[in-house]
Amino acid sequence: MNAPIDVSFFARNAKPLTSYRPYWAKRFGTAPFLPMSRTEMEQLGWDSCDIVLVTGDAYVDHPSFGMAVIGRVLEAQGFRVGIIAQPDWQSAEPFKALGKPNLFWGVTAGNMDSMINRYTADRKIRSDDAYTPGDVGGKRPDRAAIVYSQRCREAYKDVPIVLGGIEGSLRRIAHYDYWSDKVRRSIVVDAKCDLLLYGNAERALVEVAHRIAAREPIERITDVRGTAFVRRPGDPTAEGWIELDSTEVDMPGHVEDHINPYQTTSEQAQAQGQSCSKEEGAAAPAADPQVKPITIHRPQGTQGVAKLPRERTVIRLPSYEQVRSDAVLYAHANRVLHLETNPGNARALVQAHGEGTTARDVWINPPPIPLTTAEMDYVFDLPYARGPHPAYADEHGRHDGATKIPAWEMIRFSVNIMRGCFGGCTFCSITEHEGRIIQSRSEDSIIREVEEMRDKVVGFTGVVSDLGGPTANMYRLGCRNPEIEAACRKPSCVYPGICQNLTTNHDPLIRIYRRARALKGIKKVLIGSGLRYDLAVKSPEYVKELVQHHVGGYLKIAPEHTENGPLSKMMKPGIGSYDRFKTMFEKYSEEAGKKQFLIPYFIAAHPGTSDEDMMNLALWLKKNGFRADQVQTFYPSPMATATAMYHTNLNPLKGVHRDERGEKVDIVRGEKRRRLHKAFLRYHDPNNWPLLREALKTMGRADLIGNGKHHLIPTFQPVTDGGYQSARKKNSTPGGAVAKGTGASPAGKAPVKGRILTQHTGLPPRAGVKGKR
């Protein structure tokens, strides 16, 4: 069965990307690479750029890099697009390299949030940057979207600034900032951009570009979905909107439920979790012959309370000043934001910033309409060079030596087949950015890209490293009913269980796998994206196909934890789903005569995780023979629900209350406790044993200290240097003597502040590969 994406509610409400009349500059044709210098512009016959894109990543002309997609989409619409990649932000001069843009600046921090890119979960500076030639760190500023916007304004004051990318997308309202440990204003205010495009922004960007090209002032472009902007009090463009206070959507506090007068007594009782049925033991009141029952007739043609028109309703969130100082209101605002994320029913949001003469509203329009399959094909079929810009090549014209860009190397031989995720994991920002409506490409488009990669990409050996996306197996999955899909307000389609309206048919994915590996010159097709195993077990044929043909020895999946406490705060399934998938994985691996392994990922220090939870996870790891090489510590990314938990100690998933009914969440703060939770994940590392012994004794579990197989850690303590060298990554803290210039400290001494190198992601070592101690 094909996905309902092509016939969904959403496709009826959007102008197709291919329906715009091309801009006059289309006559210049297609550039082999979008120009990064005046010389390249002259070679193309350009005297100026219509749009200049500024990005914190190196320019790789590949559809996995957001700026390349945006650039090629705009080029296909007829605009002359130049790129300024990783400019020196110390002055405005590097931003003038391509001259003054005729229409607008397009600014992004890059494929990653600049703060997450530069700092570890422990707020230590990273030494590397996978999106920079040579893996060199420090090539982009902190809060790059703000800094780049400021420099663009300095370079050419009167050119509009359109901000986009994941950094802007996740900061569109007032948000908790982990690195400064405070609530910051919307990035629209701090960057002083004219317009913010959030999410995958092709649809909004194409419309905005053509309207600016038609000389429409950007301050009047306030009706495009997927945009955010500032409105001053009394702005005439706000006329005709009905404002609804957010507390009318979701009240933060004790609320008495309003009884629907059109319900029967039994229906009212049932709604309150009670019963008035004699069969269920409810006591019936004595009949009074003088009392006549009242019959309420529903007015003809009405369905209850009159509804406001959603397309002209805006919800006012608590102001920046309120959420900054009130944790309950912050959690409430975060909850309402996540309720208004379905393009089919989301309403506009507004949040006040400033008071008096500085007062202004940040206005956030509803999310963009997802792309249809035809539009996805249009975007991915554009003439990408599928490699880094020649400016990054070494003296031999190659990109695989000192100038190698690790992020490109990772996706060099992979194909993105879909977008979006309906998992709704609270610690993840994919849903907030890409949405939960799956946008899939057609089979033919995917196969064409595999063939193009085979024929054109230097170094291809016949192995496709991935056919995936945010998840490996959500391709063409979606709601069975378009009307239900458009009306749904659930944050997840798979938690607490898989929705009965969700299709779980993996047949389209199986067909793609078979077509791809049958192509001439293709030796192997691997699946590198994370697998949603609770969906996979619904299709045993898919699991068999995957395990027997598309696993390269290891398959990564993410149970994240084993205990229900943290799993309920993550909105992840119980460990039983993992066990069912593991049984199928091992069965099909044995049938194929292959020795293959599952690599489960786990998170330490997630909100809602107790020390006992981590201890039980460590016991599970030891029982199952897992020794994590790197561990993932919870990283509070902006706007995520788990970040709201971290900041407020409240659970927005259960409703926000000021009284005792509000669920409090155990938060892992402080370096010592975070180190303890990480140590439980690496229970086998002798460096962690002293900390674990102390903790186990405090917890009353000294019985887990001993030298038997049933003990977690031994009683003896070998001599260690306190360091750890990852088997796979250079970005870790070496032990013993330290090479000059590494920035790490000698053994036994505290590391230099801000220079400790850590690594907490990746796969465990393969057989025969050992890390240095």
Side-chain angles (χ1 to χ4, degrees), residues 70-89:
I70 292 301
R72 290 299 187 183
V73 167
L74 288 171
E75 179 189 56
Q77 296 291 323
F79 300 103
R80 293 169 293 177
V81 184
I83 287 189
I84 298 177
Q86 297 187 318
D88 180 359
W89 67 91

Side-chain angles (χ1 to χ4, degrees), residues 622 693 696 701-716:
K622 182 166 186 178
R693 286 193 196 98
L696 290 172
R701 293 307 307 269
D703 59 298
L704 295 176
I705 305 172
N707 302 322
K709 290 185 177 180
H710 62 284
H711 295 113
L712 183 62
I713 55 174
T715 54
F716 64 89

Side-chain angles (χ1 to χ4, degrees), residues 252-328:
H254 180 69
V255 181
E256 294 291 347
D257 291 333
H258 296 288
I259 297 177
N260 185 345
Y262 302 111
Q263 285 183 321
T264 64
T265 306
S266 61
E267 288 173 338
Q268 292 177 15
Q270 186 178 7
Q272 298 173 20
Q274 302 171 359
S275 172
C276 61
S277 171
K278 292 182 179 180
E279 289 78 3
E280 297 184 17
D288 186 342
Q290 302 299 321
V291 177
K292 301 294 183 182
I294 299 176
T295 303
I296 300 178
H297 297 279
R298 185 190 302 272
Q300 188 173 7
T302 67
Q303 298 297 321
V305 180
K307 292 184 178 180
L308 299 176
R310 303 185 79 86
E311 67 278 3
R312 297 299 294 173
T313 301
V314 59
I315 299 174
R316 180 166 290 280
L317 299 173
S319 70
Y320 159 69
E321 286 73 20
Q322 288 177 302
V323 299
R324 180 182 60 182
S325 58
D326 190 330
V328 172

Side-chain angles (χ1 to χ4, degrees), residues 636-674:
S637 59
M639 217 173 82
T641 299
T643 303
M645 295 180 192
Y646 180 89
H647 172 57
T648 66
N649 289 85
L650 297 171
N651 183 7
L653 298 175
K654 292 289 187 67
V656 180
H657 306 279
R658 292 193 182 276
D659 56 26
E660 65 281 355
R661 293 186 305 139
E663 182 182 350
K664 300 297 188 290
V665 180
D666 181 17
I667 304 301
V668 184
R669 288 194 179 90
E671 184 179 353
K672 182 175 181 180
R673 195 168 176 218
R674 285 174 69 89

Side-chain angles (χ1 to χ4, degrees), residues 134-157:
D135 201 15
V136 178
K139 290 294 185 180
R140 77 186 81 208
D142 290 352
R143 312 187 196 286
I146 296 176
V147 176
Y148 291 160
S149 296
Q150 291 171 341
R151 291 294 185 236
C152 288
R153 189 70 75 196
E154 290 177 30
Y156 301 108
K157 186 176 181 179

Side-chain angles (χ1 to χ4, degrees), residues 674-731:
R674 285 174 69 89
R675 280 197 301 114
L676 172 63
H677 282 216
K678 290 170 65 177
F680 271 121
L681 279 180
R682 285 188 49 77
Y683 66 90
H684 54 280
D685 186 348
N687 291 306
N688 293 326
W689 292 349
L691 177 62
L692 291 175
R693 286 193 196 98
E694 178 187 352
L696 290 172
K697 291 175 182 177
T698 302
M699 296 162 64
R701 293 307 307 269
D703 59 298
L704 295 176
I705 305 172
N707 302 322
K709 290 185 177 180
H710 62 284
H711 295 113
L712 183 62
I713 55 174
T715 54
F716 64 89
Q717 182 65 40
V719 177
T720 63
D721 56 22
Y724 164 64
Q725 180 68 40
S726 162
R728 287 182 174 267
K729 298 285 185 181
K730 68 178 182 180
N731 187 15

Side-chain angles (χ1 to χ4, degrees), residues 336-567:
V336 173
L337 174 82
H338 284 83
L339 285 173
E340 303 295 331
T341 55
N342 184 344
N345 58 53
R347 290 163 287 194
L349 304 173
V350 63
Q351 186 176 51
H353 284 63
E355 298 170 342
T357 57
T358 64
R360 65 274 210 206
D361 284 337
V362 172
W363 192 286
I364 304 169
N365 283 333
I369 300 296
L371 300 185
T372 63
T373 294
E375 289 174 315
M376 284 285 286
D377 290 353
Y378 167 76
V379 169
F380 281 88
D381 289 348
L382 293 172
Y384 300 97
R386 299 194 64 87
H389 190 278
Y392 304 123
D394 58 21
E395 63 273 16
H396 305 294
R398 300 177 63 87
H399 300 276
D400 52 5
T403 61
K404 181 172 69 176
I405 302 172
W408 171 67
E409 198 69 27
M410 183 181 298
I411 54 87
R412 186 177 181 180
F413 305 122
S414 69
V415 175
N416 194 331
I417 66 174
M418 46 77 70
R419 282 181 184 168
C421 179
F422 49 69
C425 301
T426 61
F427 54 81
C428 180
S429 300
I430 292 174
T431 301
E432 281 88 345
H433 181 61
E434 295 194 5
R436 60 187 178 90
I437 308 298
I438 302 302
Q439 303 161 72
S440 302
R441 298 169 63 185
S442 70
E443 287 184 25
D444 290 343
S445 174
I446 294 166
I447 296 302
R448 278 197 302 271
E449 185 172 348
V450 174
E451 292 174 329
E452 184 177 353
M453 180 173 63
R454 175 198 64 191
D455 299 337
K456 297 182 180 179
V457 178
V458 176
F460 183 69
T461 61
V463 178
V464 177
S465 62
D466 188 25
L467 290 180
T471 51
N473 60 320
M474 286 187 184
Y475 178 77
R476 289 200 174 277
L477 299 188
C479 194
R480 299 178 191 276
N481 186 306
E483 281 67 36
I484 291 177
E485 180 181 51
C488 182
R489 292 168 70 80
K490 290 177 62 177
S492 172
C493 300
V494 291
Y495 184 85
I498 296 175
C499 178
Q500 63 182 359
N501 294 312
L502 182 70
T503 59
T504 57
N505 184 359
H506 286 58
D507 289 351
L509 198 53
I510 294 172
R511 286 198 299 270
I512 287 179
Y513 289 177
R514 290 174 178 172
R515 282 189 64 181
R517 71 171 186 263
L519 290 174
K520 184 179 179 180
I522 301 300
K523 301 175 183 176
K524 186 82 172 177
V525 177
L526 300 175
I527 303 304
S529 299
L531 185 78
R532 190 79 196 200
Y533 54 87
D534 51 344
L535 286 172
V537 296
K538 298 292 184 180
S539 177
E541 184 183 1
Y542 169 74
V543 178
K544 183 176 181 178
E545 189 80 15
L546 173 76
V547 171
Q548 296 190 348
H549 299 283
H550 302 283
V551 175
Y554 295 106
L555 180 67
K556 60 183 180 181
I557 58 175
E560 308 299 4
H561 218 284
T562 58
E563 306 305 296
N564 288 333
L567 287 173

